[in-house]
Amino acid sequence: MSSHNTTQSVLATAAASGAGAPPKGLDLFARYAFAGAICCAVTHGALTPVDVVKTRIQLEPTVYNKGMVSAFRQVVAAEGAGALLTGIGPTFAGYFLQGALKFGGYEFWKKTFIENLGMETAQNNRTAIYVASSGIAEFFADVALCPLEATRIRLVSQPTFATGLVSGFTRLVREEGVMRGLYSGFGPILFKQVPYTMAKFVVYERVSEIIFGTMSTPKELLSPSAITSVNLGSGLIAGIAAAIISQPADTLLSKINKQKGAEGSITSRLIKLASELGAKGLFLGLGARIVMVGTLTAGQFAIYGDIKRVLGATGGLEIAKKQ
């Protein structure tokens, strides 16, 4: 009970501080980054079991070949329920960093483009601004995410490789070096995450703009629960679109991180893997990924919006046209 009261007190204090002078500059973007870190870490961490099964389907399609539900049962029967949480440490840590840089960076670059182009030009070219802002932000976010994602995939594909985040990370560096061990998947992670993030933010922004435009009540006067519902719905649609677009690169990422010390450049390895898998092979695990990405993207935008509101981080520039 005391823990619950303490949490309420912290949130109330944050809300009260946000009710005064609105945050600006670094303070504002730090709040965006914190909200992004929490929403990504919590959602990706919660869906670790789905990601474990999806990765197994991609890496061992001949073993896990009867669908997602059957694959869940196979993993639990062979290794116990605890196997479904394999890699939760690097997942939480990696997406905490990535979420901070992705959401905080997106807001920063969007504001930068708007200020340089002017509001009218920005509104008329808002889709291009959403694409550019999210793409730049995701590039820097992936620099932080890649080593932890490489560790996670190695733990999932080789359960005996290490006991957790720290031991897995250090063994990768010790045996394979920083670039080959931690960043061999940087190319495919960019190919996956950048298109995924672009689609995610563009579809979310445009869908939410349409939904808010159909409402008789202006967005500024809507209740917090109504705004959260719009964020959930828009995020779900955005997540499904983003999952389909980025699925081939996600499969390649899982495959390339399973290879220990493979020869050749990343580009040549990607081309060879893609040709071996074919179109059908590149979309292995799509059903599980749509469930995972659709759910987590809806959750991310809902949590992100709620935390921003609690922290008073409402001073960002908006370029959505009002209907």
Side-chain angles (χ1 to χ4, degrees):
M1 185 69 181
S2 60
S3 174
H4 177 68
N5 290 335
T6 300
T7 302
Q8 284 188 321
S9 175
V10 170
L11 292 176
T13 301
S17 65
K24 296 180 181 180
L26 183 60
D27 184 19
L28 177 61
F29 290 108
R31 297 180 193 215
Y32 288 147
F34 179 74
I38 294 298
C39 78
C40 286
V42 168
T43 51
H44 278 278
L47 286 169
T48 295
V50 177
D51 204 28
V52 167
V53 172
K54 181 263 303 177
T55 303
R56 292 291 179 87
I57 292 172
Q58 291 174 327
L59 295 178
E60 300 178 76
T62 58
V63 176
Y64 303 97
N65 57 4
K66 298 178 182 178
M68 188 171 74
V69 175
S70 177
F72 264 104
R73 292 172 180 162
Q74 285 178 268
V75 172
V76 172
E79 303 170 42
L84 295 174
L85 294 179
T86 302
I88 192 170
T91 296
F92 190 92
Y95 283 98
F96 186 91
L97 291 172
Q98 191 242 21
L101 293 168
K102 171 161 47 180
F103 281 86
Y106 174 72
E107 299 283 4
F108 170 78
W109 288 108
K110 185 172 74 169
K111 180 175 183 290
T112 300
F113 282 122
I114 294 170
E115 290 178 340
N116 281 277
L117 293 172
M119 184 57 73
E120 184 177 353
T121 302
Q123 281 190 325
N124 292 333
N125 297 277
R126 58 194 183 282
T127 298
I129 289 175
Y130 298 149
V131 168
S133 301
S134 57
I136 296 170
E138 185 59 46
F139 176 85
F140 291 107
D142 289 344
V143 174
L145 174 65
C146 192
L148 294 157
E149 182 71 353
T151 304
R152 180 195 71 80
I153 291 176
R154 188 62 65 89
L155 291 174
V156 172
S157 63
Q158 299 177 26
T160 59
F161 181 76
T163 57
L165 167 59
V166 176
S167 59
F169 186 92
T170 53
R171 182 177 174 184
L172 270 177
V173 173
R174 184 175 65 251
E175 294 184 0
E176 302 178 34
V178 173
M179 293 308 298
R180 183 166 292 278
L182 302 181
Y183 281 97
S184 64
F186 188 60
I189 209 171
L190 284 179
F191 294 146
K192 179 186 87 167
Q193 288 294 135
V194 172
Y196 159 76
T197 299
M198 287 176 172
K200 168 178 165 177
F201 278 99
V202 170
V203 174
Y204 166 78
E205 295 277 16
R206 297 312 296 256
V207 170
S208 61
E209 178 181 327
I210 292 170
I211 295 174
F212 283 126
T214 62
M215 294 181 166
S216 56
T217 304
K219 179 181 177 181
E220 306 80 49
L221 300 178
L222 288 173
S223 66
S225 60
I227 292 176
T228 299
S229 297
V230 174
N231 288 339
L232 276 169
S234 303
L236 178 62
I237 295 170
I240 292 171
I244 295 170
I245 288 170
S246 61
Q247 174 64 20
D250 183 66
T251 300
L252 289 174
L253 177 64
S254 294
K255 293 285 187 182
I256 206 166
N257 273 315
K258 188 182 180 182
Q259 297 177 335
K260 179 179 178 180
E263 296 300 323
S265 68
I266 291 176
T267 302
S268 64
R269 290 162 63 192
L270 283 174
I271 293 172
K272 183 180 179 182
L273 280 172
S275 63
E276 289 174 354
L277 290 167
K280 183 178 179 180
L282 289 172
F283 283 90
L284 286 170
L286 179 60
R289 192 155 186 269
I290 284 177
V291 172
M292 175 184 164
V293 175
T295 303
L296 74 84
T297 304
Q300 281 177 6
F301 280 114
I303 295 169
Y304 181 63
D306 288 347
I307 294 178
K308 283 200 303 179
R309 185 177 66 252
V310 169
L311 297 178
T314 56
L317 293 176
E318 295 294 334
I319 50 177
K321 287 189 175 180
K322 297 182 179 179
Q323 304 296 320

